Every structure is written in structure tokens, then in C-alpha cells.
């Protein structure tokens, strides 16, 4: 029976150079879906307790989504999972491009690497048996050079994921790259790949991906596509910035409909928020110490969405995406082109460091993509170093003469080069701000902003406490792509899932209500986590799901692709199971969930004296406990209770 | 399920050369064999076999078709959403995305880059959710009035 998934995974033992195919029973897909759920199911008891994330016992899994290749839209996301060397927790990262269907076309829902190779290798899968091939000639090459060389060798059909020099040098903030500028950046899993001396995966399989009912999948896709294509002209980008300012001034907020965000994405990409976001307090400024006052429009115009768009010469769509938020941009200087800098990169390397130099944003974007280093963590670590410099904790002697004054773009470029090369102070910063503060000491810890060791993204919990909660409670701490009050509004899950609070589009509410730890907020955050596990099991793009559950029919696509007849509530239960398993993974590895709480500063402790989020504090302890209760985890420790584990059919051992 | 080869096979090897999944093996002049695990049911072997020796997944014997008469994808730009699903579906990688259409529309659109490589499998058509791909016999091979001599000119052009 065709059910959209391939029913098999490949296990590669890099120490022995051996391959093993493993058939996955249907029941596993019914309980965990594919994608992130399958990865959690397989890695939970196979990564031994106390495993060194950079040691041979860690397992690195590349998984596709259940819906990938079935004819559903937005289903081109692949995920990589393993124990994170950055946080010591469950780690995963998510990426688009064209790599996700390639995993399935090799006949697998996932490819898992154990052990460690003695010399650099890459995995090649074509029509015949998988092979590990020598990658010595590729070691040291940047991600794009490597991809180009492998592409030349294996032809245009090969789909390639690689690490750059950052991953090779075990930078704890390194990721895994594909399609010359997409990166699965978070959780530091590039270092895990580097530790295994696995330079790349080259996939060129031709297997067909067959859903249960392609006609119905396509019908659902056509309806969804109509919503995506609806695009009235939006006018110049200054309009978005002014709306941001208005949202800051008003005492009330308005529930958002994802169609609005979709239109922004279609017009400019994620960068459409470059100026709006700092205005209304969504983006942190100056290492989270500053505010909208420090990053006014005349500074944020360095990344004006219209300005960025000027250099865009072609749109970039991930596989199966009708929206196309990405783009390719031309630039001058050492590199002639780059994938359009994303919102996160622009704000982390821009406002967070007070950097107004547009050219440096483009250059650093390309440089970090090639190095395979996370732009969020890199930017946040530089911002932290700048504050340490301001405070006199770091001096010119420490920085090899670099003046790390706020916004010094040329110093930033030089510093990031050092981080990639692990040279001088760059060697210390290459592992992110928490690790750097531990090495430097002298009170520098006070200026780090992280959750469990991961730098949070450019969305401020003091503006939307939902972000603060998810940063703090997710089994992959510091993650911004799971939930927020804003995301809940856009997912519109109450339209399909019983018992969830309604937040009708454009409904007006008082801003103060966002900061109350209510039962409804707990329901909302829990729903976001459950739903995103379903989405990541399906391999869907979060931006697609922002259109709302009626317009982007995740549950219906899943039923049509698999032939199941599950209710939305049953899917949410699957999401809950995956989340609980990931949390149980952390407990098994000695993580105290309470310790992953976001740093004080980013929670408004103490509150900011000025700006969009003036006077705001997130009641985080209560919100975390409430969230854990929603999952049936112990509200005082965050550990899943025996009862909950049993109810979800998990052993917890 | 998979395509199969029956005894009428003369072992000419035409199918081996065209099979994009390299699923067919056999010695010259011997009856060839299709590996069912590798076969992706593209039908190319059936379209090239001169001895009516290939059966499709339903057990029907395939009919040889002159390559010039094989259907090729035609794209409807107004329906296309640039999602590249068709490009990914193609087993011989003969489709590609164009440059941006123009300054007003920065999207690239799929086109048949390697016309000669196309094996007419129709996977691109089957996987496009919005019906933007239609398999048609290439236009230059047809005369406007669909008169008989057309087939002859076409076959000569192809040989
Ligand atoms: S149907 Fe296609 S894949 Fe299968 S044997 Fe024939 S040519 Fe090869
Ligand atoms: S699959 Fe259809 S919509 Fe997508 S790029 Fe191809 S022709 Fe266009
Ligand atoms: S019919 Fe379509 S999928 Fe098949 S070979 Fe030709 S272009 Fe590729």
C-alpha cells in the first residue's frame, strides 16, 4: 500500500564503513509520522546516555517529511537531528531547498549516521548501493565550492548537503548547507557532522514517491495555491515600517491573519519585516539591551526591504513551494551573488550589533553561508562581545586590536573571519556566547542572552511572551520556529481542533493581556508545540502553515497522502507524543528543563526603561509551569510524568 | 510492481541504453531482465523495444513508438507556480528553471532544457498539482491539417 512514506531508513556506520537498511513498521508512522517524529523515535534509545555529542556514539539523522513529494505544497523541508553539542539537549534543525525529496527518492525516509570516519568522506547514493567516498580533496573547501565541485562530478540531478569550514572545525554554532545558501543552522549540528568527518551527502536516487490518493492531495493543493497567489499590490516598504511604528504606539494589539504575512513574504521575503519589526519591539537591539529608540527608522533603513529587493534578480522557491520567499541577489566585491539575506541574518548582524552598513550585511550573509555558520548565533555572539568590549571586559589586547565598538562593520567582518578560522579571539567566539563567556569569565556571563546555550532568534519575548516561553520550554531551547502568540493567531487551529481558544483575525485586545499567565495562553503555547511537531513530521514549511489550518490543510493532506482517517485531535496527540519523547530524551541525558530558561534580560528582568517594550516583564516561571502542565509533565520540574509517558505509549526508559 | 520483459526479446539492448534507473540487465542477444526494485515504471523501455517484448505493470505489451512522436511536456505559464515539483520528478533531469521572466515577474519557470534527453514518461505532468504541464507530441512534427503524409515526414526526420 502506498502511503506517501518510503517505509525504510538507511543506517550508515562511519566507523566500520557499513550500511544497513531498516524497515520501519507502519505503526511507527501512525504514532510518530515521518520527519522529526521518526527521528525522535529512532534516536531516543539509540543515542546512549551521556553520549558525547561530538563523539562516535552520537547519531546524526537526516530526515525528509511524510508529505514531501506527495503533491502537497510547502513540503520541501528536511530536518537534521541528533544530540546537540551546543545545548547538550535534543537538537534539530530544519531547512528547505531541494534536498528533502532527494532523501525519499533514494528510497528512504531518513539517513542516519553513527560512528566516526577516520578520514573525510562523503555519502553517495545513485541507482546502486550507497557508497562512502573519499572527501579529502573537499575538506577545507567552503560549502558552495564543495557543492559546485560535487555537482560537476555527479551531474545536475544530484542533491547535495555539506558542511563548510565551520562544521569541520567543530564550531558549536555551525550548520549544514544545501542549494548554495540554505542552511539547517541551529543546534550546532554542523559540528556533529564535522566530528564524524562526513563532508557531504550526495543523493541522486530516482525512486517515485507515491501517496495514497494523489488526486485528493492535488485538489487540496490547488485550493491552497489560490490563497497563495492572491496578492494585491503592497506599495513601498516604508508602509510596513510605519505600521510597525503604529503598532508600537497603540495600547492595543490586533490578532494577525497569516494572509497579511504571506503577502509580505511574497513581496519581499522574510526581510519584509526588517524595519517593521524593530519598530514594534519584535526585534531585539544592541544585544537585547537597546530598544526601538536605539534603532530608529533612519538606522534600520540600512536594511530597507525595498533596498534589498533592488539587488534581487530572481526569486527562489524551495521544492514544492508556491510562495517563493527566497531570492538570489547580485552584489559587488569578493562574491558576486548571495541568497537574499533573511530577516534573522539581517537583524542579528544589523540591529543587534548596531551595524548600519548594508554592504557588510550582504557580505557576511554570503561569508557565513559559505562557512556553514549560523547567522543568528554568530551575530548574537558578536553583539555580546561588543557589549563586553564596551564594559571593558574585553580589551584591544583580547581582540587582537579590533575595535569592537557598537556598529563597527569592518571590525565585525574581521571578527567573523576569525571565528570561522578559529583564530585568536575567534577561536573562543566560534562556540557561541555561553561557551565564550565560560572561557573569558570576568563577569561576561551577565551579558549573554541564551536559552540552554542557544542564542534566541530576533523575536523578542518582551513583545510577544509566547516567544519567551517557547525559547525556554522547547526540548531544543532557544527555538523561534515553534510558537508564539502571533503564530497561534495565524495557525487558526481552533477552526479544526476542538477545545482551543479562538482568536479571530483582526480582533483587538489590550496589550497588557499578553503578559498574563492565563489558562488560554498555556493552551495556545501547547497547541503551537504539538502542531509544529506534526508540521515537522510532515516536512511542511512553517510559513505555509501561517496561512491557517483551513487554507494550508495539513491534516487533510496527511490523510489523503497516507489513506488514514485521523481527526485533527489525533494528529495533535501525535504532536504531543513527539514533544514528550524529545523532552524525555533530555531528561535521559541529564538535562534539567528549568535550566533552559531564557536569560533575565530577554524576559524584562529588569524591565526596559524605554522603547516599544518599556516596563514589560514576562511572568516566565508561571508560564513555563503552565506549559508543562498542559503536556502532563511535572509542573515543578518539566519532566514528563510516568502517567503521561504510559498514556502516550512511551517507555521513558 | 514493475515492467517485465518476455521471451520475444532479441537482446538488442535498446532498453538498457534508455532506462533511466539502470534497471535492465542482460547479455547481447539474450533475453533481458528488469530488476523490479529498481524499475520506476517510466515506460521508456516499452517505447523503444522493436520486438514487442516489454510488458507494463498491468501486463500489457507495450507498443514501440518513434521517438519523434513521443510526447513532451508543454508548460502553461499562467498556471505555473514555479514550485519545481516537475523538475524534481524528472528521472533524466532534462527540465530546468529559467532565469527571471522579466523585471515585473522575477520568477523563473520550468522549461525543457534537454529536449533530446526527455523519455516522455509524463512524470512531470503527473506530479504537477495545478495542471500546468501537458504532455503533447512536439508541434513541429504535426501538420496543421493532420493529414496522413505527416507521419511519414515525421518518421524520416526521426531516423
Ligand atoms: S519502465 Fe523505465 S525504469 Fe522500468 S525498466 Fe523500463 S525503462 Fe527502466
Ligand atoms: S510542477 Fe507545475 S506548477 Fe510546479 S513548476 Fe512544474 S509546471 Fe509549474
Ligand atoms: S516527460 Fe517530463 S519527467 Fe519524463 S523525461 Fe520528459 S521532461 Fe522528464
Amino acid at each position: 500500500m502506498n502511503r506517501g512514506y518510503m517505509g525504510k531508513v538507511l543506517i550508515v556506520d562511519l566507523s566500520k564503513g557499513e550500511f544497513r537498511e531498516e524497515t520501519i513498521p507502519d505503526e511507527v508512522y501512525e504514532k510518530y509520522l515521518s520527519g522529526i517524529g521518526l527521528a525522535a523515535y529512532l534516536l531516543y534509545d539509540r543515542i546512549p546516555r551521556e553520549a558525547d555529542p561530538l563523539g562516535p556514539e552520537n547519531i546524526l539523522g537526516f530526515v525528509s517529511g511524510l508529505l514531501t513529494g506527495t503533491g502537497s505544497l510547502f513540503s520541501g523541508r528536511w530536518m537534521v537531528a541528533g544530540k546537540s553539542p551546543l545545548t547538550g539537549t535534543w537538537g534539530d534543525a530544519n531547512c528547505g531547498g531541494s534536498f528533502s525529496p532527494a532523501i525519499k527518492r533514494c528510497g528512504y525516509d531518513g539517513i542516519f549516521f553513527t560512528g566516526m570516519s577516520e578520514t573525510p568522506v562523503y555519502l553517495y547514493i545513485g541507482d546502486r548501493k550507497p557508497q562512502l567516498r573519499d572527501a579529502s580533496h573537499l575538506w577545507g573547501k567552503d560549502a558552495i565550492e564543495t557543492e559546485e565541485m560535487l555537482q560537476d562530478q555527479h551531474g545536475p540531478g544530484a542533491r547535495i548537503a555539506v558542511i563548510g569550514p565551520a562544521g569541520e572545525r567543530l564550531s558549536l554554532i555551525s550548520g549544514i548547507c544545501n542549494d548554495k545558501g540554505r542552511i539547517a543552522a541551529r543546534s550546532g549540528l554542523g559540528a556533529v557532522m564535522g566530528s564524524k568527518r562526513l563532508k557531504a551527502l550526495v543523493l541522486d536516487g530516482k525512486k517515485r514517491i507515491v501517496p495514497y490518493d494523489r488526486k485528493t492531495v492535488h485538489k487540496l493543493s490547488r485550493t491552497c495555491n489560490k490563497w497563495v497567489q492572491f496578492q494585491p499590490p503592497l506599495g513601498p516598504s516604508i508602509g510596513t515600517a510605519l505600521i510597525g511604528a503604529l503598532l508600537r504606539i497603540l495600547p492595543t494589539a490586533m490578532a494577525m491573519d497569516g494572509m497579511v504575512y504571506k503577502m509580505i513574504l511574497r513581496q519581499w521575503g522574510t526581510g519584509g519585516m526588517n524595519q517593521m519589526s524593530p519598530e514594534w519591539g519584535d526585534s531585539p537591539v544592541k544585544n537585547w539591551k537597546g530598544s526601538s529608540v536605539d534603532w530608529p527608522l533612519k538606522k534600520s533603513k540600512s536594511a530597507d526591504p525595498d533596498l534589498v529587493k533592488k539587488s534581487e534578480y530572481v526569486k527562489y522557491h524551495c521544492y514544492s513551494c508556491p510562495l517563493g520567499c527566497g531570492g538570489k541577489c547580485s552584489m559587488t566585491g569578493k562574491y558576486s551573488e548571495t541568497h537574499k539575506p533573511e530577516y534573522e541574518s539581517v537583524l542579528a548582524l544589523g540591529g543587534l550589533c548596531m551595524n548600519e552598513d548594508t554592504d557588510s550585511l550582504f557580505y557576511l550573509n554570503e561569508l557565513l553561508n559559505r562557512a556553514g555558520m549560523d547567522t543568528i548565533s554568530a551575530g548574537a555572539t558578536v553583539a555580546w562581545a561588543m557589549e563586553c568590549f564596551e564594559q571593558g571586559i574585553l580589551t584591544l589586547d583580547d581582540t587582537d586590536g579590533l575595535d569592537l565598538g557598537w556598529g563597527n562593520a569592518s571590525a565585525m567582518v574581521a571578527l567573523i573571519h576569525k571565528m570561522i578560522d578559529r583564530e585568536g579571539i575567534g577561536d573562543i567566539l566560534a562556540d557561541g556566547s555561553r561557551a565564550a563567556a565560560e572561557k573569558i569569565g570576568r563577569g561576561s556571563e551577565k551579558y549573554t542572552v541564551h536559552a540552554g546555550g542557544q542564542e534566541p532568534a530576533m523575536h523578542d519575548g518582551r513583545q510577544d511572551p509566547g516567544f519567551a516561553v517557547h525559547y525556554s520550554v522547547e526540548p531544543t531551547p532557544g527555538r523561534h520556529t515553534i510558537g508564539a502568540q502571533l503564530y497561534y493567531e495565524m495557525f487558526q487551529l481552533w477552526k479544526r481542533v476542538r477545545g482551543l481558544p479562538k482568536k479571530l483575525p483582526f480582533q483587538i485586545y489590550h496589550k497588557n493581556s499578553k503578559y498574563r499567565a492565563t489558562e488560554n495562553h498555556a493552551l495556545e503555547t501547547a497547541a503551537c508545540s504539538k502542531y509544529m511537531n506534526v508540521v515537522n513530521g510532515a516536512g511542511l514549511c512553517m510559513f505555509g502553515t501561517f496561512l491557517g489550518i483551513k487554507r494550508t490543510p495539513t491534516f487533510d493532506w496527511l490523510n489523503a497522502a497516507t489513506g488514514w482517517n485521523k481527526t485533527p485531535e489525533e494528529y495533535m496527540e501525535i504532536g504531543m507524543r513527539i514533544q514528550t519523547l524529545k523532552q524525555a530524551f533530555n531528561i535521559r541525558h541529564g538535562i534539567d528543563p528549568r535550566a533552559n530558561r531564557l536569560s533575565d534580560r530577554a524576559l524584562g528582568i529588569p524591565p526596559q526603561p524605554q522603547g516599544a517594550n518599556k516596563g514589560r516583564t514576562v511572568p516566565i516561571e508561571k508560564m513555563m509551569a503552565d506549559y508543562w502542565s498542559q503536556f502532563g509533565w511535572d509542573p515543578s520540574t518539566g519532566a514528563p510524568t510516568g502517567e503521561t509517558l504510559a498514556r502516550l505509549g512511551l517507555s521513558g526508559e | 510492481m514493475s515492467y517485465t520483459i518476455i521471451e520475444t526479446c532479441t537482446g538488442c539492448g535498446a532498453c538498457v541504453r534508455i532506462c533511466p534507473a539502470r534497471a535492465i540487465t542482460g547479455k547481447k542477444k539474450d533475453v533481458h531482465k528488469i530488476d523490479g526494485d529498481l524499475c520506476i515504471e517510466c515506460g521508456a523501455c516499452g517505447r523503444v523495444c522493436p520486438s514487442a517484448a516489454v510488458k507494463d505493470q498491468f501486463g500489457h505489451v507495450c507498443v514501440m513508438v518513434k521517438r519523434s512522436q513521443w510526447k513532451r511536456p508543454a508548460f502553461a505559464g499562467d498556471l505555473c507556480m514555479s514550485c519545481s515539483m516537475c523538475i524534481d520528478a524528472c528521472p533524466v533531469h532534462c527540465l530546468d528553471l529559467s532565469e527571471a521572466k522579466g523585471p515585473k515577474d522575477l520568477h523563473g519557470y520550468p522549461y525543457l532544457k534537454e529536449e533530446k534527453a526527455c523519455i516522455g514518461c509524463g512524470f512531470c505532468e503527473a506530479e504537477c498539482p495545478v495542471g500546468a504541464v501537458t504532455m503533447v507530441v512536439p508541434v513541429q512534427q504535426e501538420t496543421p491539417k493532420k493529414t496522413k503524409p505527416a507521419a511519414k515526414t515525421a518518421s524520416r526526420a526521426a531516423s
Side-chain angles (χ1 to χ4, degrees):
Chain A
M1 184 65 69
N2 296 313
R3 295 196 182 278
Y5 49 80
M6 312 309 283
K8 269 192 307 190
V9 296
L10 180 70
I11 318 269
V12 184
D13 184 333
L14 289 164
S15 299
K16 297 186 189 142
E18 285 172 5
F19 301 92
R20 190 162 51 81
E21 275 188 2
E22 207 170 298
T23 304
I24 306 294
D26 288 333
E27 303 86 74
V28 172
Y29 295 95
E30 293 224 24
K31 276 175 84 177
Y32 299 95
L33 307 177
S34 185
I36 213 64
L38 179 64
Y41 167 77
L42 288 171
L43 297 186
Y44 174 71
D45 42 19
R46 296 186 190 200
I47 299 179
R49 277 192 178 85
E50 313 294 323
D52 173 4
L54 300 180
E57 316 86 42
N58 197 6
I59 305 176
L60 190 67
F62 295 77
V63 286
S64 181
L66 206 169
L67 285 177
T68 303
T70 61
S72 54
L73 306 180
F74 296 113
S75 49
R77 305 295 296 187
W78 62 278
M79 288 136 279
V80 56
K83 183 172 176 179
S84 164
L86 180 63
T87 59
T89 64
W90 169 264
D92 61 43
N94 181 303
C95 193
S98 63
F99 191 69
S100 189
I103 299 174
K104 286 174 103 168
R105 292 204 188 275
C106 289
Y108 306 115
D109 291 311
I111 301 172
F112 294 81
F113 294 90
T114 68
M116 211 174 222
S117 171
E118 261 169 34
T119 53
V121 288
Y122 73 93
L123 172 76
Y124 174 74
I125 309 182
D127 320 312
R128 291 286 184 262
K129 293 213 161 20
Q131 293 170 342
L132 288 172
R133 297 193 177 180
D134 177 41
S136 329
H137 62 298
L138 301 167
W139 205 251
K141 296 255 180 307
D142 79 35
I144 295 181
E145 281 172 336
T146 307
E147 201 181 320
E148 281 168 346
M149 285 171 73
L150 288 167
Q151 198 86 65
D152 283 349
Q153 187 181 341
H154 295 286
R159 299 285 178 257
I160 302 161
V162 299
I163 49 168
E168 291 176 10
R169 294 181 188 130
L170 311 184
S171 154
L172 299 189
I173 55 172
S174 60
I176 301 163
C177 317
N178 60 301
D179 292 79
K180 298 189 195 167
R182 320 308 295 179
I183 171 164
R186 310 241 67 200
S187 291
L189 295 174
V192 177
M193 193 158 156
S195 74
K196 297 192 175 307
R197 297 194 188 84
L198 177 65
K199 178 68 176 173
L201 285 77
V202 180
L203 306 182
D204 192 9
K206 298 194 170 76
K207 293 263 184 312
R208 301 203 70 194
I209 304 161
V210 193
Y212 177 80
D213 177 359
R214 198 186 293 273
K215 242 171 108 180
T216 305
V217 175
H218 278 177
K219 201 169 143 225
L220 292 164
S221 296
R222 284 197 294 276
T223 312
C224 175
N225 181 47
K226 285 201 183 111
W227 289 103
V228 178
Q229 301 300 331
F230 178 73
Q231 182 77 9
L234 295 189
S237 59
I238 184 69
T240 61
L242 296 176
I243 291 171
L246 186 71
L247 289 173
R248 181 185 70 232
I249 296 158
L250 292 174
T252 52
M254 190 169 73
M256 178 81 132
D257 187 300
M259 276 300 278
V260 177
Y261 188 52
K262 189 284 298 180
M263 289 171 197
I264 291 174
L265 284 176
R266 179 112 176 147
Q267 172 91 3
W268 295 286
T270 55
M273 309 294 282
N274 286 356
Q275 283 198 274
M276 177 176 179
S277 187
E279 280 302 302
W280 64 318
D282 174 40
S283 180
V285 171
K286 208 176 183 181
N287 197 30
W288 299 75
K289 182 174 72 168
S291 70
S292 49
V293 178
D294 304 283
W295 196 246
L297 291 177
K298 72 172 194 299
K299 289 189 194 263
S300 68
K301 77 170 193 297
S302 50
D304 175 351
D306 278 342
L307 178 73
V308 174
K309 203 176 156 54
K310 262 194 200 144
S311 61
E312 184 182 35
Y313 64 87
V314 66
K315 290 275 180 195
Y316 181 84
H317 292 239
C318 296
Y319 168 78
S320 81
C321 176
L323 175 56
C325 69
K328 289 185 189 164
C329 294
S330 53
M331 60 196 265
T332 50
K334 184 169 175 206
Y335 303 119
S336 61
E337 59 169 26
T338 188
H339 272 244
K340 189 166 62 186
E342 300 289 346
Y343 163 86
E344 292 295 339
S345 312
V346 164
L347 271 297
L349 298 162
L352 204 66
C353 300
M354 302 293 289
N355 171 19
E356 293 173 59
D357 183 289
T358 312
D359 289 344
S360 74
L361 295 176
F362 274 78
Y363 177 75
L364 288 172
N365 182 58
E366 181 66 8
L367 182 71
L368 287 163
N369 283 349
R370 286 175 173 267
M373 192 181 269
D374 179 11
T375 52
I376 298 176
S377 283
T381 303
V382 171
W384 167 82
M386 285 176 156
E387 190 165 355
C388 289
F389 191 80
E390 184 185 58
Q391 298 292 335
I393 296 171
L394 289 177
T395 62
L396 288 173
D397 282 343
D398 300 309
T399 64
D400 313 321
L402 289 177
D403 170 10
L404 294 185
W406 290 109
N408 184 345
S410 59
M412 279 182 73
V413 169
L415 185 62
I416 289 176
H417 270 287
K418 282 175 179 293
M419 286 166 67
I420 294 166
D421 297 338
R422 275 199 180 276
E423 185 198 296
I425 190 173
D427 186 29
I428 296 171
L429 300 185
D431 293 326
S433 52
R434 182 177 70 172
E438 274 166 14
K439 282 188 196 139
I440 290 170
R442 300 188 291 242
S444 61
E445 214 281 330
K446 203 170 129 204
Y447 306 106
T448 57
V449 175
H450 68 90
Q454 176 131 248
E455 293 79 8
M458 299 304 106
H459 297 286
D460 198 326
R462 293 168 296 191
Q463 188 280 134
D464 181 335
F467 283 114
V469 179
H470 287 282
Y471 290 148
S472 304
V473 297
E474 288 300 330
T476 43
R479 190 56 52 85
H480 67 291
T481 49
I482 311 268
Q485 295 182 2
L486 171 72
Y487 294 3
Y488 183 79
E489 291 162 10
M490 298 196 287
F491 289 150
Q492 302 187 340
L493 288 167
W494 62 85
K495 291 188 174 172
R496 294 296 306 275
V497 182
R498 264 176 294 148
L500 291 181
K502 279 188 190 153
K503 253 180 146 181
L504 299 180
F506 310 118
Q507 176 185 328
I508 308 253
Y509 52 90
H510 198 281
K511 276 181 185 166
N512 290 350
S513 71
K514 297 201 286 187
Y515 303 88
R516 290 190 198 113
T518 60
E519 160 99 23
N520 271 6
H521 281 325
L523 279 166
E524 292 165 12
T525 38
C528 286
S529 291
K530 293 177 198 170
Y531 182 53
M532 275 313 288
N533 278 308
V534 175
V535 167
N536 291 334
L540 292 180
C541 170
M542 182 181 72
F543 295 149
T545 62
F546 281 167
L547 282 171
I549 189 62
K550 285 243 166 166
R551 302 182 188 118
T552 297
T554 308
F555 306 136
D556 304 326
W557 266 331
L558 281 166
N559 279 341
T562 56
W564 301 334
N565 208 353
K566 292 195 191 304
T567 62
E569 291 78 15
E570 285 171 320
Y571 281 113
M572 294 295 272
E573 167 109 352
I574 294 176
M576 182 169 183
R577 181 177 297 117
I578 299 170
Q579 186 78 347
T580 303
L581 189 59
K582 291 191 290 193
Q583 186 78 342
F585 177 98
N586 285 354
I587 303 292
R588 194 172 127 89
H589 288 265
I591 298 290
D592 176 0
R594 288 167 297 193
N596 288 346
R597 202 201 75 170
L598 185 62
S599 304
D600 283 352
R601 180 185 275 182
L603 294 163
I605 309 171
Q608 293 201 287
Q610 59 177 5
N613 303 322
K614 180 181 165 189
R616 299 295 185 188
T617 303
V618 182
I620 192 70
E621 311 291 345
K622 172 101 171 53
M623 283 181 162
M624 286 170 76
D626 286 357
Y627 175 95
W628 290 333
S629 300
Q630 284 295 328
F631 278 88
W633 304 347
D634 184 335
S636 58
T637 65
T641 61
E643 204 181 313
T644 301
L645 292 170
R647 193 176 70 75
L648 295 168
L650 303 168
S651 73
E653 275 313 299
Chain B
M1 274 200 287
S2 125
Y3 277 52
T4 46
I5 295 176
I6 54 177
E7 302 77 67
T8 46
C9 170
T10 58
C12 72
C15 58
V16 178
R17 284 190 293 276
I18 195 138
C19 175
R22 297 206 291 146
I24 311 178
T25 47
K27 284 200 205 101
K28 245 196 149 72
K29 296 191 179 153
D30 275 357
V31 174
H32 280 42
K33 197 171 158 28
I34 296 176
D35 181 336
D37 285 340
L38 293 177
C39 171
I40 54 172
E41 296 170 11
C42 71
C45 49
R47 281 187 290 278
V48 294
C49 176
S51 324
V54 178
K55 277 186 172 178
D56 68 12
Q57 69 267 47
F58 310 108
H60 302 308
V61 175
C62 303
V63 182
M64 187 190 173
V65 184
K66 287 259 178 327
R67 195 149 186 180
S68 60
Q69 294 296 296
W70 289 8
K71 288 182 175 173
R72 302 261 160 81
F75 297 91
D78 50 334
L79 290 177
C80 175
M81 48 188 182
S82 303
C83 72
S84 74
M85 278 199 250
C86 50
I87 297 175
D88 190 80
C90 176
V92 295
H93 312 304
C94 62
L95 299 177
D96 202 358
L97 215 55
S98 70
E99 303 284 297
K101 197 172 166 200
K104 284 248 148 60
D105 180 3
L106 286 181
H107 288 95
Y109 290 91
Y111 70 104
L112 185 55
K113 190 182 182 185
E114 312 281 350
E115 216 185 317
K116 289 214 177 82
C118 174
I119 55 171
C121 65
F123 289 177
C124 46
E125 181 188 46
E127 294 208 15
C128 174
V130 294
V133 189
T134 323
M135 294 298 292
V136 288
V137 176
V139 179
Q140 65 267 34
Q141 309 295 354
E142 286 174 344
T143 59
K145 282 175 214 148
K146 288 189 197 157
T147 46
K148 279 178 217 153
K152 270 185 194 159
T153 7
S155 60
R156 210 175 304 131
S159 54

